[in-house]
Amino acid sequence: TRARATRGEDGDEMKRLALYTFGMFREPSAHPVNDGFHQRNDRVFGVIEGAAGFIARSGYEGDPGPESWGEQVYPRFYVERGDGYSPSTLSLWESPEAAMAGSYSGIHAEAMSHGRTWFDKPQWPPYVAWWVEGDHRPDWAEAVDRHEYLHDHGPSARAFDFKHPFDREGNATTIDRTLFKRLVEANGVTA
């Protein structure tokens, strides 16, 4: 995966949005009910990696593709299903709008519509976002810490969701819907 540099007007690397997602399969990963999830996986990653505002993503230890950003760990909500696996992602984006446009449109949105078939209904946040310095690459342990923090304390500049976003300076803000729609269109999808 190529990492895209994001620089401000002064040439300094800007903060980037880290995004961690976590879900729990209802059945072990290899169960036939999850076939549709696995069949979409490579296509979803391909589309996400080509999305406007995408910077980079962690791979998974032992899998082909991008390098894993540290040892993959799961939040305390993880329940072992006999295969040591639960769907989770860790990625970097230019903005919340870019992450939303990549996630809530196209094949990823279509895959999400099957969530009730594949996943337990979460009693935890399905994702967490936070800002990182331009040269920082978060690891899985940091992502899990932010995820659990959001669950335990609610949205803040430390850990937030798209319903309650914070800007690079740590101030509560709102999603720029016009920018979101432009990014969806840039990804070749109509909002």
Side-chain angles (χ1 to χ4, degrees), residues 23 32 67 70 77 101 105 110 167 181:
E67 166 190 3
F77 319 111
S105 63
E110 184 275 330
D167 65 20
K181 289 178 182 178

XYZ file of all heavy atoms in Angstrom, residues 23 32 67 70 77 101 105 110 167 181:
72
model
N -15.412 -5.698 14.431
C -16.668 -6.427 14.434
C -16.433 -7.856 14.902
O -15.310 -8.351 14.872
N -19.756 -21.180 6.553
C -20.307 -20.771 5.250
C -21.132 -19.483 5.283
O -21.205 -18.783 4.276
C -21.174 -21.960 4.838
C -20.595 -23.126 5.560
C -20.059 -22.581 6.859
N 2.294 -4.244 5.162
C 2.905 -4.637 6.431
C 1.916 -4.415 7.579
O 1.148 -3.453 7.567
C 4.152 -3.771 6.636
C 4.737 -3.789 8.006
C 5.811 -2.722 8.196
O 6.064 -1.924 7.276
O 6.362 -2.690 9.298
N 2.340 -3.519 13.751
C 2.481 -4.123 15.060
C 1.679 -5.401 15.171
O 1.040 -5.848 14.224
N -13.911 -6.644 23.997
C -15.211 -7.129 23.542
C -15.085 -8.397 22.693
O -16.070 -9.061 22.408
C -15.931 -6.050 22.736
C -15.786 -4.679 23.339
C -15.038 -3.699 22.712
C -16.370 -4.390 24.569
C -14.886 -2.443 23.275
C -16.218 -3.144 25.149
C -15.474 -2.164 24.500
N -16.552 8.813 3.090
C -16.841 8.584 1.672
C -16.339 7.212 1.236
O -16.998 6.525 0.454
C -16.218 9.687 0.820
N -20.075 4.268 0.941
C -20.516 4.271 -0.454
C -19.907 3.061 -1.150
O -19.020 2.399 -0.624
C -20.091 5.573 -1.157
O -18.677 5.675 -1.200
N -22.312 -1.558 0.406
C -23.105 -2.740 0.059
C -22.769 -3.889 1.017
O -23.665 -4.570 1.520
C -22.828 -3.140 -1.397
C -23.679 -4.298 -1.899
C -23.115 -5.659 -1.573
O -21.873 -5.808 -1.474
O -23.923 -6.592 -1.403
N -11.959 18.302 15.264
C -11.014 18.728 14.238
C -9.578 18.468 14.687
O -9.329 17.974 15.790
C -11.248 20.192 13.839
C -10.975 21.185 14.953
O -10.262 20.854 15.931
O -11.465 22.324 14.845
N -19.848 14.594 -0.150
C -20.460 14.268 -1.441
C -19.460 14.383 -2.590
O -19.455 13.554 -3.501
C -21.677 15.160 -1.689
C -22.848 14.803 -0.798
C -24.026 15.720 -1.024
C -25.168 15.357 -0.086
N -26.301 16.238 -0.220
